[in-house]
Amino acid sequence: MKFKFTVSLLLLGGLNFSFAQKKSTKPNIVVIMADDLGYGDLGTFGATDIRTPNIDNLASQGIKLTSFYSSSPVCSPSRAALITGRYPKRMGIDHVFFPESFTGIPTDEITIGEALKGNGYTTAIFGKWHLGHHKSFLPLQNGFNEYYGIPYSNDMQGVVYLRGNDVDSIRVNQHYITKTYTSEAVKFIDKNRDKPFFLYVTNNMPHVPLYASPEFEGKSKRGLYGDVVEEIDWSVGEIVKTLRKNGLEENTLVVFTSDNGPWLLFDIEGGSAGPLRQGKGTTFEGGQRVPTVAYWPGKIKPGSVYEDLTTQLDLYPTIISLTGSQKTQTTKPLDGEDISSVLFGTGKRKADEFAYYSNGKIEAFRKGDWKIRLPQSDIKANGITVVAATDTLLFNLRNDIGEKDNLLKTNQSKAKELLSACKTFESNLGKTPAALVQRMPSDDSHIRKRAERAATKLNTGK
């Protein structure tokens, strides 16, 4: 009897082991996004005055993507594109949502959260959402089991912490935002270590205004901006450490990226684009080429570097492919491509074209190593010209990452080729919806009238 009982236990144990092994075949996915982080703000991308050992380690033990693009030079469109795999133009999201907006991500979009949730994944986002704050637009209604974070940028009205659909706190100490999101992410991993999960950590930093916790404030060589980035690096380290502690590291893809380039308007508090031209709000490389690394021990060859075109649009189809979620993904056209072969070093991205959208219009277009930028007017902020107007520009990005040499005059045939490809791209994109109303203007006519009456009284005495 004792022998039979032992055998039964062994068999039962074997069944449990097999079940555990079967469960672990679905990989976990962790995507970490910084806000307004520049190409020149990480050690692995050339920064010498900001210490980022944890992110640098992801690159040295994984892959660095040196020509990786966000789909917009500003926040909301790039975030919509990442979680849908579709150009934001297809959703009418041309610019940034504000707290006075009554619109948000269209409810008929199938987000990466919804696709993975439909395949048995537990999904969560901790951090900045920025895709609408009315209930139908919030994360819980768009594929996420859990949400904790601030719905908008930290310089906007409505800086509150939401837990799910409800306000958790209206008193946000911004010094602790990064630590708060890190704590939520760590608890989520610990709680869900026995089932497949998708974790999306969307830091508010280093978007201005900048805040770091006392532990990091005053510690970097690049002032407060550097302090903030070093704390984000610490956060990445804590998340990876938690994966390792739970035995999940070798079954988890970790991607670190930024939503767009640095906000150079704010000088020392606005980050660095490194060798790239311009930054956030522009369709020069500094506005949309973002520092990105991916890490998956045993799957991604350590020290890999990929220099050809890849984009945040690629994350959706890649994650869908890796998780076997094809049956639950959107039936709408995707603009990204499965780049598993790029990550694993077995192939290259097939398509070589990318459209640089700003305010719902294509301002530039890349094909292969070449980029053409259409004529643009001055870019102004508060009445001040921050980027001067330019005529048509043509660059070979392989040889000129800083977009310094306009090759238009000597490469007319290449310019015509890119313009034709851009036209074909727009045609293939098809009809797109009207732009969403993303900011509701206030009627201040009563204030103007009062000022006019006051001026009249001052001048006439009546």
Side-chain angles (χ1 to χ4, degrees), residues 30-34 124-127 181-182 185 199-203 235 239:
V30 176
V31 176
I32 305 170
M33 176 184 278
I125 171 173
F126 301 119
Y181 295 159
T182 306
L199 171 60
Y200 186 29
V201 181
T202 54
N203 294 283
S235 174
I239 290 169

Side-chain angles (χ1 to χ4, degrees), residues 227-285:
D227 301 342
V228 167
V229 175
E230 289 189 2
E231 186 161 22
I232 290 172
D233 180 77
W234 163 84
S235 174
V236 171
E238 291 299 295
I239 290 169
V240 173
K241 188 190 303 180
T242 306
L243 292 171
R244 187 177 302 129
K245 179 191 74 174
N246 286 291
L248 302 174
E249 196 175 15
E250 294 188 356
N251 193 40
T252 304
L253 169 65
V254 179
V255 177
F256 179 88
T257 187
S258 179
D259 66 342
N260 47 247
W263 209 350
L264 301 180
L265 177 65
F266 290 94
D267 193 32
I268 194 170
E269 293 197 339
S272 168
L276 306 181
R277 183 171 175 176
Q278 291 297 335
K280 176 178 178 175
T282 80
T283 48
F284 286 107
E285 291 298 283

Side-chain angles (χ1 to χ4, degrees), residues 16 28 56 65 95 118 223 270 333 406 449:
N16 287 338
N28 306 305
D56 296 348
L65 303 167
H95 210 268
N406 184 8
K449 288 177 181 178

Side-chain angles (χ1 to χ4, degrees), residues 268-305:
I268 194 170
E269 293 197 339
S272 168
L276 306 181
R277 183 171 175 176
Q278 291 297 335
K280 176 178 178 175
T282 80
T283 48
F284 286 107
E285 291 298 283
Q288 291 186 245
R289 190 187 290 218
V290 291
T292 303
V293 299
Y295 172 72
W296 190 350
K299 294 283 189 179
I300 297 176
K301 182 181 178 182
S304 301
V305 178

Side-chain angles (χ1 to χ4, degrees), residues 88-393:
K89 180 68 175 174
R90 291 190 187 273
M91 295 170 266
I93 301 177
D94 289 353
H95 210 268
V96 174
F97 289 106
F98 284 83
E100 61 266 35
S101 175
F102 285 87
T103 58
I105 187 167
T107 55
D108 62 347
E109 292 291 332
I110 304 299
T111 70
I112 189 65
E114 288 172 307
L116 295 182
K117 192 175 178 182
N119 192 32
Y121 275 71
T122 300
T123 58
I125 171 173
F126 301 119
K128 173 180 172 179
W129 175 239
H130 215 171
L131 291 172
H133 71 286
H134 290 269
K135 186 175 180 180
S136 63
F137 307 126
L138 285 172
L140 264 58
Q141 285 66 244
N142 287 279
F144 293 92
N145 295 102
E146 293 187 34
Y147 172 53
Y148 193 86
I150 299 170
Y152 289 97
S153 297
N154 64 317
D155 65 335
M156 295 180 175
Q157 294 178 354
V159 175
V160 300
Y161 281 133
L162 296 185
R163 171 78 68 186
N165 296 321
D166 303 314
V167 175
D168 181 64
S169 174
I170 62 171
R171 298 186 179 184
V172 175
N173 185 338
Q174 293 208 39
H175 289 280
Y176 294 96
I177 289 177
T178 300
K179 284 201 168 182
T180 297
Y181 295 159
T182 306
S183 175
E184 293 289 334
V186 166
K187 286 188 289 188
F188 175 81
I189 295 170
D190 285 339
K191 183 173 64 176
N192 294 283
R193 61 180 177 268
D194 294 327
K195 48 191 171 185
F197 59 77
F198 172 64
L199 171 60
Y200 186 29
V201 181
T202 54
N203 294 283
N204 277 90
M205 301 293 164
H207 190 294
V208 289
L210 300 173
Y211 292 92
S213 68
E215 184 181 348
F216 290 90
E217 199 166 1
K219 299 297 174 63
S220 85
K221 294 180 180 179
R222 191 150 11 125
L224 183 56
Y225 185 92
D227 301 342
V228 167
V229 175
E230 289 189 2
E231 186 161 22
I232 290 172
D233 180 77
W234 163 84
S235 174
V236 171
E238 291 299 295
I239 290 169
V240 173
K241 188 190 303 180
T242 306
L243 292 171
R244 187 177 302 129
K245 179 191 74 174
N246 286 291
L248 302 174
E249 196 175 15
E250 294 188 356
N251 193 40
T252 304
L253 169 65
V254 179
V255 177
F256 179 88
T257 187
S258 179
D259 66 342
N260 47 247
W263 209 350
L264 301 180
L265 177 65
F266 290 94
D267 193 32
I268 194 170
E269 293 197 339
S272 168
L276 306 181
R277 183 171 175 176
Q278 291 297 335
K280 176 178 178 175
T282 80
T283 48
F284 286 107
E285 291 298 283
Q288 291 186 245
R289 190 187 290 218
V290 291
T292 303
V293 299
Y295 172 72
W296 190 350
K299 294 283 189 179
I300 297 176
K301 182 181 178 182
S304 301
V305 178
Y306 188 76
E307 297 183 344
D308 290 336
L309 174 72
T310 48
T311 81
Q312 285 177 353
L313 293 164
D314 299 331
L315 293 181
Y316 187 106
T318 302
I319 293 169
I320 291 295
S321 172
L322 293 173
T323 58
S325 302
Q326 282 86 350
K327 292 181 180 179
T328 55
Q329 70 163 309
T330 183
T331 57
K332 296 184 177 184
L334 295 181
D335 296 305
E337 181 179 316
D338 177 4
I339 56 168
S340 301
S341 60
V342 170
L343 299 180
F344 303 148
T346 59
K348 302 186 73 172
R349 190 180 192 271
K350 297 181 181 66
D352 66 349
E353 296 181 345
F354 178 72
Y356 300 71
Y357 274 98
S358 181
N359 292 305
K361 296 181 179 179
I362 297 177
E363 288 190 356
F365 191 79
R366 175 173 175 172
K367 182 173 178 58
D369 294 334
W370 291 84
K371 173 182 178 180
I372 192 165
R373 192 167 185 273
L374 306 176
Q376 301 299 322
S377 304
D378 290 342
I379 298 177
K380 296 186 177 184
N382 299 319
I384 301 172
T385 298
V386 292
V387 181
T390 56
D391 204 338
T392 303
L393 303 173

Side-chain angles (χ1 to χ4, degrees), residues 37-90:
L37 182 75
Y39 197 85
D41 291 331
L42 301 177
T44 187
F45 280 85
T48 58
D49 51 359
I50 301 179
R51 295 165 297 185
T52 54
N54 294 297
I55 299 170
D56 296 348
N57 186 62
L58 295 186
S60 64
Q61 298 302 312
I63 186 170
K64 181 165 69 171
L65 303 167
T66 64
S67 192
F68 189 91
Y69 291 88
S70 65
S71 295
S72 171
V74 293
C75 304
S76 296
S78 64
R79 292 163 191 274
L82 188 150
I83 65 170
T84 63
R86 289 157 51 77
Y87 276 105
K89 180 68 175 174
R90 291 190 187 273

